[in-house]
Amino acid sequence: MANHSPFLKATRVHAAVALCIASCASAWAQQNPTEITITDKLPARVSGFGDVPAHELPFNTTTIDSATLKDIGAQRVSDALRLDASVTDSYNSPAYWDMLSVRGFTLNNRYNYQREGLPISAETMIPMDNKERIELLKGTSGMQAGTSAPGGLVNYVVKRAPTNAEQKIRNITLSYGQGNNRSVAADLGGRFGENADFGYRFNVAHEDLDPYIKNTKGHRDLVALAMDLRINGNSKLEWEFEQSHRKQIGVNGYSLLGGQLPPTVDGKKNFTYQPWSQPGVFDALTGSVRFKHNLDNGWLWTTQYAIQRLKMDDRLSFAFGCSTENVYDRYCSNGGFDLYDYRSENERRTTEALQTELSGHALMGGLQHDLTFTVMRYRQLNRLAPMQAYNSAGTGNIDGTSTSTAAATPGDLNTDRSDYTNEFALKDRVHLTQQTSAWLGLRQIQMNRQSVRTDGSRPIQDARNVTTPWVAFSHALDQSVTVYASYGQGIETEVTPNKTGTYANAGQALPVLRSYQHEVGVKGQTTASNWQVTWFDITRPTAGDAPASGSLVNRQMDGEARHRGLELSGSTSVQNWKLGSGFTWIDAKRQNAVIDTSVNGQRPLNVPAYILRGMAEYRYSGVPGLRTGVRLSHEGKRGVTEQSNGDIQLPAWTTLDASAHYDTKVNNVASTWTLAIDNLANKHYWRESPKQYDHYYLYPGAPRTLRASVQFRL
């Protein structure tokens, strides 16, 4: 099916056309070296909303720029977004792909992530070396993506060539730390050609991984290139790609010991590691091409195509349950567990997206409308090996002792998935007055989703059309303060597993899981400071299994999860000080369940009631170039188990990080030296308590670690 899809033919044609445009334009530029008189537009303040400043948008946003990513030594998106008080970990293993929760809802790695504004799969390790910024758009998920979990959408923006012909980027970075990790990276950029028509940005990185967790060695590599061509004063072509490779031994989470929360540990032990353990391997090739053309009367036409090809060998010596005590959602009382040899080799995931967009201004009914029309076709294909291994390999204990033997022979079927989607979207900002705007949005989603086991059994298909609206109002109190209110819907879909011996409605699609999101806020921004205050209210439907006939059950809708909360954030510069903080309070509960009414009023697991982040940085007048800072993170207590299962709570925790950065010159070469200590007090704590695969897990926080780096700007 994948080799004959109309989408594939269309995208191949589009790619061929784009390459043809690039070749023809290059030849034209060489033969017609006329001066370019039209410069690029300002970059988007938040992707998808043109040049509208972030403080004017009617929803809460967070942007982590490349300077901050460098300062904190971010290696993955969880390192960056953990600066935001609405973001927490959600089964976030140190050597696996990121899983995050925003406003108490776990993001979907297949639908809540974008790159350059187009959908990608985040079921891989995504490098940070070539990322210019990371954007988090909170709430209003149905406006930003056709299908997505409520809470927020993450967008990666890659580094691009400088717009100024005189600006040249020649950065070399060496770093050490977070154990014995050692890396070297280069970031090169500039423009060339008679009229600086061509721009480039080249990133390359290598890191030897030997983190603070023992027996988790590995390595990673990245090569990335972004280029652009100014075809003429009205047209521009941009293209880029990145290829990454990561190979590393995996890490298993801890769990409850019988009915008890275990004492906190320092997190340095990979307690399921075996002599036969194999590393997980993540390979990714991602690229995009974008053509932009200025039309008459200020309208802009943009067409872009992106492709992501992932290959993964998913391997882990996996601890799960305790058969000797007949419990399978936790470990044994003495720290023992059943050990499994899990290997799913040669997993392949492909995501392709083709989008064309028209944006501009129009005067209708005496009011100015800022309009954007978007049409997108994308697909996600998961093609796994026919069989995977999930075999009993003996037993182990959290003290690191084990009695085990490798059991790598594949014996379980995999499941292949296909997802084809058409999306049609309209956004309109209506300027009611000079200070007041109405924001209107409508997205129509045509989806066709299929899954089937690799032997052809249990086929499932879900084909339907869904529409999601979005409406908001904003009012500028003055040039720096905006108040707003918004309402939006998001959708998710679910199909009853096609197990005829288990479900009476096997293989049947449930009604659309439509979430409703309300948000009210006020934002302020000046030259020296910015701040946001936001109240949100999100209701998301849930599904459960109800008794049917005999031993069969019915999968059906069963109440909702309702998350309400308050977000406060801001930063300011006062003389030599830079200060910032964020606070989120979340009131999260189940409601209106009928299958098991005891869950009504209960708080979801692994969702703290409040999160606090803070930072302070000081620049020393007496030592030019020197700045030191501290960062504080505090997360409140959270549930490990449901009330019906003991109601065990994870204690609140607080960590403090310290850093020093020094800008100076070495042999007339500008450089920045960084020394940082994370978890300064070496606090031992449980970082999170996710329930995954019907099993309670605990992940320890990182112990005190040292990080050092130097960047030379040649």
Side-chain angles (χ1 to χ4, degrees):
M1 178 175 62
N3 293 333
H4 303 286
S5 73
F7 180 94
L8 186 57
K9 294 179 182 178
T11 51
R12 284 176 174 168
V13 169
H14 185 76
V17 170
L19 291 175
C20 184
I21 291 173
S23 301
C24 294
S26 176
W28 180 91
Q30 293 173 7
Q31 298 170 12
N32 301 274
T34 57
E35 183 177 356
I36 301 299
T37 57
I38 304 297
T39 58
D40 298 334
K41 284 190 172 185
L42 290 172
R45 314 293 180 90
V46 175
S47 297
F49 288 86
D51 292 329
V52 180
H55 77 275
E56 293 184 12
L57 294 173
F59 54 87
N60 200 333
T61 66
T62 296
T63 298
I64 313 294
D65 60 22
S66 58
T68 304
L69 294 176
K70 181 183 72 172
D71 272 2
I72 66 175
Q75 295 183 324
R76 48 196 297 178
V77 68
S78 57
D79 295 336
L81 292 182
R82 204 172 288 128
L83 301 178
D84 189 292
S86 65
V87 181
T88 58
D89 294 308
S90 183
Y91 194 68
N92 207 9
S93 173
Y96 204 59
W97 61 55
D98 295 276
M99 294 186 69
L100 299 173
S101 172
V102 180
R103 294 179 172 176
F105 292 106
T106 299
L107 302 188
N108 189 313
N109 281 52
R110 296 186 66 196
Y111 299 115
N112 281 75
Y113 290 82
Q114 295 184 351
R115 184 178 182 276
E116 296 290 295
L118 293 179
I120 61 169
S121 170
E123 294 178 325
T124 188
M125 303 286 278
I126 299 177
M128 295 291 103
D129 309 84
N130 68 321
K131 303 305 184 292
E132 178 61 34
R133 65 184 185 272
I134 299 173
E135 301 169 343
L136 175 62
L137 286 67
K138 302 176 192 176
T140 60
S141 64
M143 191 58 230
Q144 315 306 330
T147 303
S148 60
L153 181 77
V154 176
N155 182 49
Y156 296 89
V157 180
V158 304
K159 293 178 179 177
R160 294 285 181 174
T163 58
N164 191 325
E166 284 70 39
Q167 183 182 2
K168 296 187 183 299
I169 300 170
R170 300 288 187 271
N171 298 337
I172 305 295
T173 303
L174 307 173
S175 65
Y176 171 84
Q178 294 180 335
N180 196 29
N181 289 359
R182 306 179 186 197
S183 70
V184 57
D187 182 6
L188 312 174
R191 306 202 67 83
F192 62 94
E194 185 173 350
N195 298 295
D197 302 321
F198 287 91
Y200 68 92
R201 191 70 175 268
F202 179 67
N203 288 94
V204 60
H206 171 79
E207 184 170 15
D208 291 320
L209 301 170
D210 187 9
Y212 64 88
I213 306 175
K214 306 303 181 185
N215 298 312
T216 55
K217 288 186 178 181
H219 66 270
R220 70 174 185 92
D221 297 282
L222 169 72
V223 177
L225 176 66
M227 298 193 70
D228 67 68
L229 169 63
R230 296 169 178 167
I231 299 173
N232 55 41
N234 288 314
S235 301
K236 183 179 180 181
L237 184 69
E238 300 175 327
W239 65 101
E240 55 82 23
F241 81 92
E242 68 179 64
Q243 183 162 17
S244 62
H245 169 79
R246 187 181 184 111
K247 185 176 183 180
Q248 187 179 12
I249 294 289
V251 179
N252 206 102
Y254 287 77
S255 186
L256 296 173
L257 305 186
Q260 302 295 321
L261 187 69
T264 53
V265 297
D266 65 3
K268 294 180 180 179
K269 185 183 298 181
N270 189 357
F271 62 88
T272 65
Y273 175 77
Q274 306 295 315
W276 46 263
S277 295
Q278 295 294 307
V281 181
F282 303 83
D283 288 295
L285 176 61
T286 309
S288 64
V289 59
R290 177 166 54 210
F291 177 70
K292 298 191 291 188
H293 181 68
N294 290 321
L295 304 173
D296 293 336
N297 300 317
W299 284 77
L300 175 66
W301 171 51
T302 304
T303 295
Q304 51 187 336
Y305 164 73
I307 183 169
Q308 178 194 47
R309 296 189 183 277
L310 307 178
K311 180 181 179 296
M312 178 179 175
D313 294 331
D314 193 355
R315 305 161 174 154
L316 184 65
S317 44
F318 189 51
F320 190 92
C322 174
S323 58
T324 59
E325 296 180 6
N326 201 31
V327 293
Y328 298 96
D329 59 2
R330 65 195 71 195
Y331 298 161
C332 307
S333 302
N334 65 354
F337 50 77
D338 298 337
L339 186 65
Y340 294 84
D341 190 345
Y342 174 73
R343 309 185 193 210
S344 181
E345 311 278 354
N346 199 28
E347 297 183 356
R348 295 181 181 270
R349 296 172 173 85
T350 300
T351 302
E352 289 183 273
L354 173 63
Q355 176 178 284
T356 189
E357 185 174 274
L358 188 64
S359 60
H361 311 290
L363 190 65
M364 295 183 290
L367 299 174
Q368 179 178 316
H369 295 253
D370 301 340
L371 295 163
T372 302
F373 303 92
T374 305
V375 178
M376 181 170 65
R377 166 75 167 171
Y378 80 91
R379 67 169 187 170
Q380 288 190 1
L381 304 178
N382 287 10
R383 296 294 181 261
L384 310 185
M387 304 289 284
Q388 64 179 348
Y390 183 59
N391 303 319
S392 176
T395 60
N397 194 285
I398 62 171
D399 64 9
T401 60
S402 64
T403 303
S404 68
T405 304
T409 304
D412 291 337
L413 292 169
N414 267 315
T415 299
D416 289 336
R417 292 180 172 84
S418 303
D419 186 346
Y420 298 89
T421 303
N422 296 320
E423 294 187 8
F424 307 89
L426 166 66
K427 285 186 290 192
D428 182 9
R429 180 185 184 182
V430 186
H431 295 263
L432 302 176
T433 68
Q434 189 173 358
Q435 293 81 26
T436 307
S437 296
W439 305 70
L440 308 173
L442 198 66
R443 183 180 295 268
Q444 211 260 344
I445 308 111
Q446 301 174 350
M447 65 182 72
N448 185 353
R449 296 176 178 172
Q450 306 159 26
S451 70
V452 62
R453 302 194 86 185
T454 46
D455 67 347
S457 63
R458 299 183 185 175
I460 288 176
Q461 182 169 9
D462 181 11
R464 51 181 133 184
N465 299 337
V466 184
T467 301
T468 58
W470 177 64
V471 60
F473 290 91
S474 63
H475 177 74
L477 299 178
D478 55 36
Q479 292 185 345
S480 62
V481 179
T482 301
V483 296
Y484 70 89
S486 69
Y487 166 81
Q489 297 179 9
I491 64 158
E492 298 168 89
T493 60
E494 184 171 339
V495 177
T496 303
N498 199 2
K499 299 179 180 180
T500 54
T502 303
Y503 290 94
N505 59 341
Q508 295 181 19
L510 299 183
V512 171
L513 281 68
R514 189 181 294 268
S515 58
Y516 299 90
Q517 307 176 74
H518 303 80
E519 185 169 315
V520 178
V522 56
K523 299 180 177 184
Q525 181 166 328
T526 64
T527 303
S529 63
N530 64 80
W531 53 271
Q532 297 183 104
V533 179
T534 306
W535 169 263
F536 63 86
D537 187 340
I538 304 174
T539 302
R540 178 196 198 184
T542 59
D545 294 337
S549 59
S551 61
L552 298 180
V553 296
N554 260 325
R555 177 64 59 89
Q556 65 184 50
M557 308 293 283
D558 186 38
E560 310 93 23
R562 186 176 185 183
H563 293 200
R564 293 175 290 183
L566 179 68
E567 295 170 335
L568 310 173
S569 63
S571 65
T572 187
S573 297
V574 181
Q575 295 181 345
N576 292 16
W577 287 95
K578 181 179 179 181
L579 307 171
S581 65
F583 173 81
T584 297
W585 169 75
I586 303 175
D587 177 26
K589 293 184 178 69
R590 279 289 304 276
Q591 63 183 25
N592 299 325
V594 295
I595 297 175
D596 180 7
T597 57
S598 68
V599 303
N600 289 327
Q602 288 197 25
R603 187 176 187 84
L605 304 183
N606 198 35
V607 178
Y610 56 91
I611 306 105
L612 175 66
R613 316 288 191 207
M615 63 82 64
E617 183 178 84
Y618 184 79
R619 288 184 176 271
Y620 294 83
S621 302
V623 186
L626 177 63
R627 54 192 171 96
T628 60
V630 292
R631 291 186 182 273
L632 177 142
S633 289
H634 175 85
E635 297 188 11
K637 66 180 182 179
R638 65 193 82 195
V640 179
T641 62
E642 301 85 353
Q643 292 179 9
S644 59
N645 204 2
D647 193 20
I648 299 174
Q649 297 285 311
L650 201 68
W653 55 264
T654 304
T655 60
L656 190 67
D657 307 329
S659 63
H661 310 275
Y662 184 47
D663 297 318
T664 187
K665 286 190 174 183
V666 178
N667 293 330
N668 290 323
V669 174
S671 62
T672 299
W673 300 75
T674 296
L675 179 65
I677 302 176
D678 296 332
N679 192 1
L680 187 63
N682 197 28
K683 181 178 180 62
H684 296 173
Y685 63 101
W686 295 115
R687 168 170 50 90
E688 61 161 326
S689 56
K691 188 175 184 180
Q692 189 80 348
Y693 315 118
D694 291 323
H695 195 283
Y696 301 111
Y697 282 105
L698 300 167
Y699 278 102
R704 179 168 52 220
T705 55
L706 176 71
R707 173 171 52 88
S709 68
V710 57
Q711 182 183 84
F712 296 102
R713 296 179 291 281
L714 307 177

